[in-house]
Amino acid sequence: MKLADRVAVVTGAGSGIGRAIACAFAREGATVIVNDLAVARSRETVDAMGAAGVRARAVEADVAESRAVRAMFAEVEREFGRVDVLVNNAGIGSSGGPASEETAKRHEARIGELMAGGAIKTHWDVTERMTDETWHRMIAVHLNGTFFCTREALRLMKPGGAIVNLSSVAALTGLETVPHYSAAKGGILSFTRAVAREVASRGIRVNAICPGYVDTPMTQPMSALMKRLTVSRTPLHRMGVPDDIARTALFLASDDGSFFTGQWLSPNGGLVMQ
Ligand code: NAP
């Protein structure tokens, strides 16, 4: 039991990677606060934990709203008195609206132009097509959400505490189709390093995970062609599964990762090597 008697908060744990992390932590003895936007999704995660879920709590909060985050951590403090582990996992991908459809269309057009051996005539123009609203929501959920939750968790953390932030390969290389997502994930990486230095003297560790492409609802909107191309560029020749990332989170959150702070680990099948 690598997380026996620890109290862990996992945000966005009603789906995908967050759900896998919450379940892995519960199996390792943690009491898990399972956050998501919709409490019904959090409850599904608690149900998926089986017997280990008796200690878990489903809590609804939008991590982009500082007041909601404060209320969630106040509830955790009242019930458990402390937080030992925080995983800032909540996130959104591209909106799936007309702008994303246009980008997908241009992607396929560019592939056609490449295959024909000519110059690329279809340009992405993602940044110039992006609305203020799309930019602000992306930064609000990922970057503000990571800050709001970290601030509240640090107030309740004692020496031995650990924070794990979900960044992305998008932060390492930049992804041309999602500049707002890349910026948010890059910000999370820099925030991770700064806070790791800040709280090291308190005995608290802060690290990040930069996953490659993982098969979750977030990557569902990718077309079959885009998925095939991604797999073909990945040396291990598959997309990740949520448990690949959950094992990395468990390592960083538990004493196995006790000499890691301010670092990122990138389970990505070899897609990015640095
Ligand atoms: P997912 O299956 O869509 O799960 C994300 C969860 O976060 C969803 O349940 C979502 O709820 C929730 N959420 C969204 N906004 C929230 C908010 N403001 N407050 C609380 N919860 C919120 O996505 P995933 O693939 O597991 O992604 C998990 C994390 O890994 C994200 O930070 C993502 O950026 C990162 N990541 C994913 C990949 C990948 O390939 N999948 C790669 C690199 C990094 P709704 O469904 O209601 O929005």
Side-chain angles (χ1 to χ4, degrees):
M1 290 284 190
K2 291 176 192 264
L3 295 177
D5 303 324
R6 311 249 176 122
V7 177
V9 177
V10 184
T11 67
S15 173
I17 293 169
R19 175 170 291 175
I21 292 172
C23 290
F25 283 13
R27 281 196 300 275
E28 292 294 335
T31 294
V32 187
I33 289 81
V34 181
N35 157 266
D36 209 278
L37 270 178
V39 76
R41 302 273 290 279
S42 300
R43 289 206 184 103
E44 283 171 22
T45 297
V46 173
D47 290 345
M49 290 173 179
V54 288
R55 295 180 304 272
R57 294 284 180 284
V59 182
E60 179 177 296
D62 180 345
V63 298
E65 298 291 334
S66 74
R67 205 174 302 160
V69 170
R70 195 164 301 142
M72 172 168 73
F73 280 89
E75 198 179 323
V76 174
E77 184 178 18
R78 270 196 306 277
E79 201 165 343
F80 304 105
R82 63 181 209 280
V83 172
D84 302 300
V85 176
L86 166 67
V87 182
N88 283 307
N89 166 82
I92 53 174
S94 51
S95 65
S100 314
E101 281 162 26
E102 178 60 27
T103 301
K105 233 168 61 192
R106 291 185 187 208
H107 200 168
E108 304 210 349
R110 287 171 67 95
I111 291 165
E113 288 164 7
L114 261 176
M115 305 283 271
I120 301 267
K121 295 197 186 93
T122 306
H123 303 297
W124 292 114
D125 302 332
V126 181
T127 301
E128 62 196 73
R129 284 188 287 117
M130 188 173 298
T131 63
D132 290 5
E133 194 193 8
T134 302
W135 173 269
H136 285 311
R137 185 64 188 162
M138 188 62 80
I139 301 295
V141 173
H142 290 274
L143 194 52
N144 297 357
T146 297
F147 161 60
F148 294 147
C149 292
T150 300
R151 179 172 60 183
E152 297 306 320
L154 284 174
R155 290 173 176 159
L156 302 176
M157 260 188 193
K158 296 190 168 50
I163 298 176
V164 180
N165 295 325
L166 266 291
S167 180
S168 165
V169 289
L172 304 179
T173 68
L175 284 186
E176 58 272 51
T177 53
V178 282
H180 51 342
Y181 182 81
S182 304
K185 292 305 198 186
I188 287 173
L189 215 45
S190 294
F191 182 68
T192 299
R193 295 184 180 116
V195 180
R197 289 183 187 278
E198 177 199 345
V199 299
S201 59
R202 288 178 54 188
I204 296 170
R205 298 180 301 104
V206 190
N207 291 290
I209 305 178
C210 296
Y213 290 86
V214 183
D215 196 7
T216 69
M218 187 178 281
T219 48
Q220 281 309 304
M222 286 171 76
S223 69
L225 175 63
M226 280 161 69
K227 283 189 180 170
R228 273 206 305 278
L229 279 172
T230 301
V231 168
S232 71
R233 288 191 292 123
T234 303
L236 289 182
H237 218 68
R238 68 171 175 88
M239 284 182 63
V241 293
D243 278 339
D244 291 322
I245 317 306
R247 282 190 287 273
T248 311
L250 179 60
F251 170 75
L252 290 172
S254 70
D255 294 343
D256 285 348
S258 62
F259 203 42
F260 279 76
T261 200
Q263 308 299 313
W264 51 265
L265 293 178
S266 185
N268 67 41
L271 181 69
V272 176
M273 298 189 186
Q274 287 190 351

